[in-house]
Amino acid sequence: MLSKALLRLGASAARHPWRVIAAWLVAATLAVLAAVAFGGRTADSMTAPGLDSQQAAQLIERAGTGQEGMTAQVVVTPLDGAATFFDHGSARTALTRLQTEVKRLPHVLGTSDPAGALDARGDTIAHGGLVSADGRIAVVRVQYPDQSRLSAKDLDALVDLGDRLRAELPLRIEMGGNLFYAFSDPDGGASELIGLLAAAAILFLAFGSLVAAALPIGMAVFGLTVGVATMTVLAGVTDVPTFAPVLGSMVGLGVGIDYALFVLARHREYLARGLNPHEAAGQAVATAGRPVVFAGGTVVVSILGMAVANVPFMTVGGLAVSIVVLTMVLASVTLLPAFLGAAGPRLARVGRIGRALQTRKLGRLARRRHPAAGSAHAAGWRRWIGHVSQHPVPYAVGAAGLLLTATLPVLGLRVGLPDDGSLPHSRTERRAYDLVAEGFGPGANGPLVIAADPTGDPGVLDRLVGAVAADPGIASVAPTHIDRATGITTLVVFPTTSPQDKATADTIARLRTDVLPMAIGHGPARAHVGGAAASLSDVGQRTSQRLPVFVAAVLAMSFLLLMLVFRSILVPLKAVLLNLLSIGAAYGIMVAVFQWGWGGALIGLEATVPIVSFIPMFLFAILFGLSMDYEVFLLSRVREEYLRTGDNGTAIVEGVSRTARIITSAALIMVAVFLSFAVADDPSTKMFGLGLATAIFIDATVVRMVLVPATMTLLGRTNWWLPKWLDRMLPRGPVGTDVQSTGEAPRPRLVDR
């Protein structure tokens, strides 16, 4: 049985702590060395098989025009605000030198020629918008080969060149393009440190002991080192998206400290009962470690389930994050009990400073009732849960109504991908974006590439160009490029709206469903719309289409898992519905903040943006798994109390009150960690941070401390009802066994006879 295996594992680790700690040190060292020797840099590849944009990319690749590769743009304007490239000789000379030096960079296939366009001033706009109509802004578009042949060194070379030329030329130089998107270092670093410091402070307040506060942090740092290093090795084999290390660090810190907190709290309970540290560690891992294994497994399976979207970068990103979560689960049942064994009986004591802080916080309640902080905390929660249980209907209706109201903005959810216009002004990509929009219109920041194969219909190209140029969503059309060997034609067009604007997605859809089919007719010719904006729009549509299937699969899996664990039908059904409420409320708040701008300034959001297309699916997978932490941990204790007393009301009050302090402390830690990422520069990181923090806060407060006791009180003994025929069908063993503490009272069977 799982509990017995965990008991032996935890006790053994606590009995031989330095062996286990040494093994983890070796594992961390080897992982870091492997990352240095074989690891790669993260890179984004926003493509997926079967999409129209992917078919366009395949045509472009066949033609060998180079447009299938990565691009960057260098945007310049004279430092003298009154000067233009038309009448300022030194600025024109500087532009020519800049073009020449950019062409010399490694792997650059070629650049546009705004300096040459200045010699044909009247044709400037017609030839792709290289120089603005007023002559103040010029764009050097840089063409690179396919991403597989590039690395972060290419981005570093371009950035270093810009830094040098800024000091030598009379030009303001800004840079952007998908080379930055693919190879820029992800946000993290400072956010991780802030999250760790906040977690340490909360742990100290919760336990009143520096030693107790340090152990979960140490375990999380070990696990994060191994997990992220392994992710880096994976990046050397395949394209790991840039958000994966940030998300892995965010989730890894949250769940790692959470899991450690659950086990540590149980360990201190057993120490207080008089068990020696080795026995207490084994019992803690056997009891609290079991929900950790189930919760961690749920997170991993949920995240890996995103493969149903059939979007490779999401699948790989999910695999990378799952590695970190698995590492944290393993550390919780091996490394943490080793720490507990090494710490010995000191964990049972509260330091002088901690005792003073807890006494001040508990005030009269602690002084009047019990000297032990945990007992006083439990008494306060016991009164609250008892109050909710005495008035279950108003609390259930009120809390559910509140969450449903918070969910309403989801009806206006719009997926997309924030472009460089959503970055802070401190970033050169944002400044380049603004200059391009000012000089050439917002659509110049997200050109579309139409790839056409006119086989059997030579006249189709003229019809195609005319039809596309006449579309109201298209501002301008660059000259066509025809590959003589294959006949494949590429046409770069500039929408009238920005890449993240909904109107741009509408234009792409209209080109595909109306404009191109009418121009091509029923002949053998074919045409597809590609480019970064089209690829991101396609990925967003695919994830939106697959999201219901994914949600249904995760709900079914969670229901089955909880039914096996708790041998009940209503407990898992209630858990699924309540988790949906908390996640829906988090989605609604995200829409209000990022799409409507409510409170966006508080997290440094400078403009409203759509919800990143892949984030709803990622958030659902992660949040549903994380909510299982609290669900399994809380209901395990309620189940234990019910099996011990046989009274549903007492079990609810005692079970929830005894876990409330740990759950709220764990939630505070997760919220602090996630919010530390919500202030990052990148809007995607902000969404992950705010979405996770909001959902965890709602789940640990409104759901666990109000809705769970209220609904379980209303359901009464039927909470644990299970038809006899189903009880016989369900497997028993590591999963299909009632959750209970080792050595607790016998388990009554609660089935329909």
Side-chain angles (χ1 to χ4, degrees):
M1 293 176 61
L2 181 59
S3 294
K4 292 182 179 179
L6 291 173
L7 174 65
R8 290 192 297 268
L9 183 62
S12 176
R15 193 172 294 111
H16 308 287
W18 301 114
R19 296 181 188 177
V20 177
I21 294 172
W24 271 92
L25 277 171
V26 171
T29 302
L30 291 176
V32 171
L33 291 176
V36 172
F38 309 109
R41 292 287 295 267
T42 58
D44 288 309
S45 179
M46 298 291 184
T47 59
L51 299 177
D52 189 69
S53 54
Q54 180 71 5
Q55 293 176 302
Q58 291 169 350
L59 278 180
I60 295 171
E61 188 174 2
R62 274 182 53 200
T65 63
Q67 290 177 320
E68 74 276 10
M70 304 293 292
T71 60
Q73 58 183 14
V74 182
V75 189
V76 296
T77 186
L79 287 176
D80 182 356
T84 72
F85 288 106
F86 294 142
D87 56 22
H88 199 283
S90 62
R92 184 180 300 196
T93 301
L95 177 60
T96 302
R97 179 185 167 189
L98 183 144
Q99 290 178 219
T100 302
E101 298 223 23
V102 170
K103 285 180 181 178
R104 293 174 181 168
L105 290 175
H107 297 132
V108 171
L109 300 178
T111 69
S112 61
D113 186 17
L118 290 169
D119 297 328
R121 179 174 175 179
D123 295 332
T124 299
I125 299 176
H127 286 80
L130 301 180
V131 182
S132 62
D134 60 8
R136 289 184 55 254
I137 300 170
V139 178
V140 179
R141 294 193 173 91
V142 190
Q143 186 65 53
Y144 286 90
D146 184 78
Q147 182 172 329
S148 61
R149 297 167 56 188
L150 302 175
S151 70
K153 293 180 180 179
D154 295 284
L155 176 60
D156 294 339
L158 180 62
V159 171
D160 291 343
L161 176 63
D163 291 339
R164 177 168 63 84
L165 294 182
R166 286 188 184 97
E168 300 175 3
L169 302 179
L171 299 174
R172 174 187 168 191
I173 303 174
E174 307 295 351
M175 299 179 176
N178 57 17
L179 186 72
F180 282 79
Y181 183 80
F183 295 112
S184 291
D185 288 328
D187 291 333
S191 296
E192 295 170 12
L193 179 60
I194 293 171
L196 281 173
L197 292 175
I202 295 168
L203 285 168
F204 180 65
L205 290 174
F207 291 115
S209 166
L210 288 175
V211 175
L215 295 187
I217 299 294
M219 190 214 78
V221 170
F222 261 98
L224 198 61
T225 301
V226 175
V228 173
T230 306
M231 186 188 300
T232 304
V233 174
L234 179 64
V237 179
T238 186
D239 288 337
V240 174
T242 54
F243 66 80
V246 177
L247 186 58
S249 298
M250 194 186 311
V251 175
L253 283 177
V255 301
I257 297 173
D258 237 21
Y259 296 162
L261 182 60
F262 293 161
V263 176
L264 178 58
R266 270 301 177 93
H267 177 73
R268 282 163 61 98
E269 284 186 24
Y270 287 119
L271 286 177
R273 296 181 188 179
L275 274 68
N276 66 50
H278 301 163
E279 294 174 338
Q283 293 284 0
V285 174
T287 52
R290 179 172 173 148
V292 165
V293 172
F294 287 145
T298 304
V299 174
V300 170
V301 174
S302 297
I303 295 177
L304 293 179
M306 290 189 302
V308 301
N310 195 22
V311 178
F313 81 88
M314 290 179 60
T315 303
V316 176
L319 175 62
V321 175
S322 297
I323 290 173
V324 178
V325 176
L326 278 176
T327 305
M328 290 301 182
V329 172
L330 183 61
S332 299
V333 297
T334 57
L335 180 60
L336 182 61
F339 284 163
L340 299 178
R346 286 174 294 174
L347 289 175
R349 297 192 295 268
V350 177
R352 184 178 301 173
I353 297 175
R355 189 181 300 111
L357 289 173
Q358 288 186 342
T359 301
R360 179 176 298 179
K361 183 171 66 170
L362 295 174
R364 296 178 180 176
L365 177 63
R367 291 193 296 269
R368 184 173 69 246
R369 290 183 174 266
H370 302 283
S375 300
H377 273 292
W381 282 112
R382 192 176 292 111
R383 284 203 302 273
W384 167 252
I385 302 303
H387 173 70
V388 172
S389 299
Q390 291 172 4
H391 308 88
V393 174
Y395 276 106
V397 173
L402 177 66
L403 295 185
L404 286 172
T405 301
T407 305
L408 288 177
V410 173
L411 298 176
L413 186 145
R414 179 171 67 87
V415 298
L417 192 80
D419 53 31
D420 289 345
S422 59
L423 295 175
H425 286 90
S426 59
R427 297 276 290 268
T428 185
E429 302 100 298
R430 169 62 186 272
R431 297 192 295 269
Y433 179 97
D434 290 343
L435 281 176
V436 170
E438 177 187 344
F440 307 98
N445 281 297
L448 305 176
V449 182
I450 298 176
D453 182 357
T455 302
D457 189 356
V460 72
L461 295 181
D462 291 336
R463 300 197 306 271
L464 192 64
V465 172
V468 171
D471 187 86
I474 301 300
S476 61
V477 179
T480 58
H481 182 284
I482 303 176
D483 179 65
R484 294 183 178 180
T486 61
I488 294 174
T489 300
T490 54
L491 185 66
V492 178
V493 301
F494 298 90
T496 58
T497 50
S498 67
Q500 70 175 11
D501 200 311
K502 183 178 182 299
T504 302
D506 294 339
T507 297
I508 294 170
R510 188 169 58 252
L511 290 175
R512 288 170 172 165
T513 58
D514 299 330
V515 177
L516 298 186
M518 290 184 64
I520 292 175
H522 300 289
R526 59 194 180 103
H528 305 282
V529 182
S535 296
L536 296 173
S537 176
D538 289 350
V539 169
Q541 288 184 7
R542 171 164 288 185
T543 54
S544 297
Q545 292 168 355
R546 302 290 175 88
L547 183 60
V549 176
F550 171 72
V551 169
V554 171
L555 294 181
M557 178 200 67
S558 301
F559 177 85
L560 180 60
L561 177 64
L562 289 175
M563 185 170 62
L564 292 173
V565 171
F566 294 108
R567 317 296 292 187
S568 166
I569 288 181
L570 294 182
V571 163
L573 180 61
K574 171 188 61 65
V576 166
L577 294 177
L578 295 186
N579 288 345
L580 277 177
L581 275 178
S582 61
I583 295 173
Y587 281 1
I589 292 172
M590 285 176 59
V591 170
V593 172
F594 290 98
Q595 289 185 209
W596 301 352
W598 292 6
L602 297 176
I603 57 173
L605 188 68
E606 297 185 3
T608 58
V609 294
I611 304 301
V612 177
S613 56
F614 55 83
I615 282 184
M617 187 173 285
F618 256 105
L619 279 184
F620 188 88
I622 295 169
L623 289 173
F624 216 90
L626 293 181
S627 65
M628 288 297 104
D629 290 1
Y630 303 138
E631 187 72 23
V632 175
F633 185 70
L634 184 151
L635 290 180
S636 296
R637 198 58 182 262
V638 173
R639 179 70 166 165
E640 288 178 20
E641 295 296 329
Y642 185 78
L643 296 174
R644 183 177 64 86
T645 65
D647 181 81
N648 184 69
T650 301
I652 294 170
V653 173
E654 291 298 318
V656 178
S657 62
R658 288 179 180 273
T659 56
R661 182 167 65 98
I662 301 304
I663 288 177
T664 52
S665 297
L668 278 176
I669 290 170
M670 274 204 180
V671 169
V673 170
F674 296 151
L675 282 182
S676 68
F677 286 84
V679 296
D681 286 346
D682 183 63
S684 300
T685 305
K686 289 181 185 292
M687 288 182 195
F688 275 125
L690 183 65
L692 289 168
T694 301
I696 293 300
F697 176 79
I698 291 172
D699 190 79
T701 54
V702 179
V703 173
R704 303 298 155 205
M705 300 302 130
V706 179
L707 275 173
V708 167
T711 53
M712 291 191 76
T713 299
L714 291 173
L715 291 173
R717 284 182 58 88
T718 57
N719 280 304
W720 313 109
W721 172 74
L722 185 71
K724 184 177 180 180
W725 61 269
L726 183 57
D727 183 57
R728 288 194 298 265
M729 291 177 59
L730 294 179
R732 302 184 186 279
V735 175
T737 307
D738 290 327
V739 175
Q740 64 168 352
S741 296
T742 305
E744 294 288 348
R747 298 168 298 174
R749 302 306 309 152
L750 298 161
V751 296
D752 182 11
R753 303 297 181 187

